[in-house]
Amino acid sequence: MKNKSIIYIALAGLLSVTSACTKLDENAYDQLLTDDFYNNKTEVLSAVLRPYTHANAWVTPSGQDSWWRAAELSGDQLAWPTKGRHGEDGGKWKRFHYHSWTADENGLNRAWVLMYWGMGLCNDPIENIEKRDISKMGISQIEKDSYLAELKLLRAFHYLKLMDLFGNIPVVTQVGIPAQPATKSRKEVFEFVEKEIKENIEKAPKLSRDMVGRMSQAGAYAMLVELYLNAEAWTGTPRWDDCIAAADKLIGGAGGAQNGTMALDPNIADQFSTTNDLSKEAIFSIAYQYKPAGFQPSWTGEFYHFKQQEIYGGGRNGNDGVVVIPGVYSTYKDADLRKSNWLLIGKMVKFTDGTPVLASEEYAGQQLEFVDNIQKNKTGSKVSNMSEGEENSGVRFNKYKLGNQFAGPGGKPEVDPNYNNTDWNIYRLTWIYFAKAEAIMRKNGGAATAEAVQLVNDSKKRAFTATTWSANAYTTATLTMDELLAERGREFIFEGFRRNDLIRFGKFTTGAWWDHTASSSTRELYPIPQQQRDLNPNLSQNPGYN
């Protein structure tokens, strides 16, 4: 059971600490928040926790136009193709896939607003807590300092991800001041984020059971790892030694741990199960408590088929949306447990009794079968592109497990008492291992060292049995930079890092995959949404966009 503090995250969303949640055509950074608040510790804590419920909307695959969609659907692993009469959605998913988005893209505008809105939910409590007397808020000075550090780190996280997508953005640290902020260069934003992290990391709480789902020292170190791993791509100056140093802090436990000592989990399921709050390697996550708080994962709509609840024995279906791009499935060896545990393919049966799950669209009345292609198999067509899908097209997401709401055949497995509680990992220790290994290799001219190989092998070996591991272990000869990128894809599929990785490895705009061809280098940044530029003339457009 997660610590009771997570319950407050959901409850905080019910309190009147924000303005209306539906005006997504406004400048999010100028929406004023309620000033008559912070009168006791409960209200203070509610304001501190409010940005986390909002982060669910933009940093996870939440069913909304978000950072996650922009970070994954433009890469070489995932796509949302049109499937029969579903999924055309004005061509928005095709524009992501083919890198043909425009500055008028409403989805990018919504992502911008969601993220800046979340940043505003950090700015408001920072301002209010800073200016108020602790006796009137009912908190101690230690608590005040800790809350402020946590919020400033969380604000830095918002800016890190905004910088990832849009590069050159405004930095705002006060609600509504200035009303029309000017664009700062990506380098300036990078320096702001780095400074905020360094100034607050030691003031923030260490990661512990009490900090599940919240920003901590461990989360701050993870942000530094991400910042320095991408420093060359984002600023033109590599920071590999700094990346390694920040990774070592986390690996050594300097930031604390969610459960005991920071360590890799022993198997590939622990980070993605309904009890993944017990994971030893979780660093920062969006945490859910369904039964006591009604706060549940949002990714079902993104990934699940219309009949998915029958497959896993739960109560939630989806929009039959995101699938694995053809051919990605075959990059996993058959002995790789990630292939069989994280991906869903083949004929589907009902969780409760093992009988066939029946399709509902092109194959209505027939058994639903997910296939590793996107084409109109029913007509015998071999044309494969973003327009040619059917309801069963594409290998499916099965990485995170919701658990089962109903028992299986003969009552086994029993109902999962943690159904619908699965946390979404933002950072986990496996990612830190890979980041350190990459930094070591880049320092070494792209060649693997024994230490880099050990870091990747320590992570990868969990995906193989004792009898199959030796044939699949990396050596300094086999762990090339291209292989590291491929292995990153296999390990972190669905986790939001693929666009980022492809840019860093020089493949995002030069590479070709499935039906996607190379694009312009300007596509490494998304455009500043034209809707925002219409509202704020001080925003400069990124190069390559009108």
Side-chain angles (χ1 to χ4, degrees):
M1 180 65 70
K2 301 180 181 71
N3 186 281
K4 65 180 181 181
S5 65
I6 297 306
I7 299 174
Y8 291 129
I9 296 179
L11 295 180
L14 304 177
L15 299 174
S16 298
V17 295
T18 73
S19 56
C21 299
T22 57
K23 298 180 180 178
L24 294 182
D25 57 341
E26 297 181 359
N27 282 309
Y29 40 74
D30 70 4
Q31 293 179 8
L32 296 176
L33 307 185
T34 303
D35 194 55
D36 184 19
F37 206 60
Y38 308 92
N39 298 309
N40 53 60
K41 185 174 180 177
T42 298
E43 290 186 351
V44 172
L45 184 57
S46 296
V48 171
L49 296 178
R50 176 63 180 95
Y52 294 104
T53 52
H54 183 80
N56 166 68
W58 68 264
V59 78
T60 76
S62 66
Q64 300 191 58
D65 290 315
S66 61
W67 169 85
W68 186 90
R69 286 180 173 178
E72 282 286 8
L73 297 184
S74 56
D76 63 351
Q77 290 190 303
L78 306 179
W80 190 323
T82 301
K83 305 182 198 73
R85 63 193 179 102
H86 297 284
E88 181 62 22
D89 297 333
K92 61 193 294 186
W93 315 121
K94 295 176 184 177
R95 292 192 292 276
F96 269 131
H97 179 74
Y98 295 124
H99 294 190
S100 59
W101 54 77
T102 70
D104 290 317
E105 208 72 48
N106 188 53
L108 291 175
N109 182 60
R110 288 177 65 88
W112 172 284
V113 172
L114 279 173
M115 296 168 78
Y116 267 107
W117 178 12
M119 178 275 300
L121 292 173
C122 297
N123 277 343
D124 181 74
I126 289 171
E127 285 186 68
N128 278 283
I129 294 171
E130 279 182 334
K131 73 184 180 182
R132 282 171 162 74
D133 187 85
I134 57 173
S135 63
K136 294 182 179 179
M137 292 187 290
I139 61 175
S140 68
Q141 187 64 46
I142 292 175
E143 288 173 322
K144 178 178 180 177
D145 294 343
S146 177
Y147 290 153
L148 287 171
E150 176 183 352
L151 284 164
K152 288 179 180 180
L153 290 171
L154 185 58
R155 179 174 66 188
F157 175 70
H158 283 73
Y159 276 117
L160 189 155
K161 295 302 187 182
L162 278 159
M163 175 179 60
D164 169 28
L165 296 186
F166 300 105
N168 310 298
I169 57 173
V171 172
V172 182
T173 58
Q174 291 179 279
V175 176
I177 303 174
Q180 294 183 324
T183 303
K184 288 188 178 294
S185 70
R186 201 181 209 181
K187 183 175 184 294
E188 289 176 302
V189 181
F190 183 101
E191 290 169 349
F192 168 79
V193 172
E194 181 183 24
K195 181 173 181 289
E196 285 279 281
I197 296 172
K198 286 185 170 182
E199 287 181 352
N200 290 284
I201 192 167
E202 295 298 331
K203 301 174 186 176
K206 290 183 181 291
L207 180 58
S208 66
R209 288 297 297 168
D210 289 338
M211 294 298 292
V212 172
R214 293 170 61 179
M215 182 59 72
S216 65
Q217 288 188 25
Y221 282 122
M223 281 195 288
L224 287 177
V225 173
E226 182 172 9
L227 201 67
Y228 297 140
L229 183 66
N230 293 286
E232 185 171 31
W234 290 350
T235 71
T237 302
R239 301 282 293 274
W240 307 124
D241 285 327
D242 290 328
C243 179
I244 293 167
D248 283 340
K249 286 282 191 179
L250 270 172
I251 295 169
Q258 190 162 291
N259 294 285
T261 302
M262 182 71 70
L264 292 178
D265 288 323
N267 62 66
I268 62 168
D270 291 345
Q271 305 107 71
F272 311 108
S273 72
T274 59
T275 56
N276 64 350
D277 60 301
L278 300 177
S279 165
K280 285 186 171 295
E281 72 169 72
I283 295 171
F284 177 45
S285 59
I286 303 299
Y288 302 96
Q289 278 283 60
Y290 177 56
K291 287 185 179 178
F295 191 42
Q296 64 184 3
S298 302
W299 39 261
T300 54
E302 213 88 352
F303 297 121
Y304 280 6
H305 184 270
F306 308 127
K307 305 285 286 292
Q308 194 88 13
Q309 64 182 30
E310 297 180 14
I311 299 170
Y312 73 97
R316 305 179 66 189
N317 289 317
N319 295 316
D320 198 30
V322 176
V323 303
V324 178
I325 283 175
V328 172
Y329 179 74
S330 63
T331 66
Y332 292 83
K333 294 184 179 179
D334 289 342
D336 192 331
L337 299 176
R338 296 171 298 189
K339 186 175 188 176
S340 55
N341 282 272
W342 293 356
L343 304 172
L344 197 60
I345 192 171
K347 294 182 177 180
M348 297 296 109
V349 297
K350 294 181 181 179
F351 184 89
T352 53
D353 61 15
T355 60
V357 173
L358 301 182
S360 58
E361 298 292 321
E362 292 88 352
Y363 297 92
Q366 301 178 46
Q367 187 170 13
L368 179 64
E369 181 179 5
F370 297 133
V371 295
D372 187 20
N373 62 59
I374 298 173
Q375 59 196 43
K376 297 189 183 303
N377 294 306
K378 189 172 183 179
T379 65
S381 173
K382 299 300 182 182
V383 176
S384 180
N385 59 47
M386 286 285 286
S387 299
E388 296 296 310
E390 300 174 313
E391 69 170 307
N392 64 338
S393 293
V395 177
R396 304 304 172 98
F397 168 93
N398 198 37
K399 194 170 192 176
Y400 282 83
K401 308 296 195 295
L402 270 191
N404 54 297
Q405 192 176 22
F406 305 100
K412 300 294 181 181
E414 299 176 349
V415 172
D416 187 340
N418 295 294
Y419 169 72
N420 221 13
N421 278 350
T422 313
D423 298 343
W424 183 271
N425 297 313
I426 307 301
Y427 295 117
R428 56 189 180 98
L429 189 61
T430 301
W431 187 85
I432 303 300
Y433 271 48
F434 271 77
K436 182 181 177 182
E438 182 180 334
I440 290 171
M441 290 176 67
R442 290 191 183 277
K443 277 190 63 181
N444 196 40
T449 66
E451 184 180 12
V453 169
Q454 188 68 50
L455 286 162
V456 176
N457 278 343
D458 283 349
S459 302
K460 182 183 178 184
K461 67 182 178 183
R462 299 172 298 178
F464 294 86
T465 65
T467 56
T468 60
W469 169 238
S470 61
N472 291 282
Y474 286 118
T475 66
T476 53
T478 59
L479 186 60
T480 62
M481 291 300 290
D482 282 345
E483 183 57 29
L484 179 63
L485 176 62
E487 184 61 24
R488 284 188 66 90
R490 289 186 285 268
E491 179 63 32
F492 302 111
I493 190 170
F494 306 114
E495 294 189 45
F497 294 107
R498 195 56 179 172
R499 168 184 169 274
N500 205 299
D501 289 348
L502 290 171
I503 290 173
R504 204 169 56 254
F505 280 77
K507 306 284 189 181
F508 184 67
T509 59
T510 63
W513 48 85
W514 181 35
D515 69 330
H516 170 95
T517 56
S519 59
S520 166
S521 61
T522 59
R523 297 288 153 159
E524 290 189 359
L525 280 180
Y526 285 108
I528 305 301
Q530 187 58 46
Q531 296 96 316
Q532 297 304 310
R533 298 188 69 218
D534 292 341
L535 292 164
N536 178 5
N538 292 324
L539 295 179
S540 301
Q541 185 56 276
N542 285 327
Y545 298 99
N546 296 324

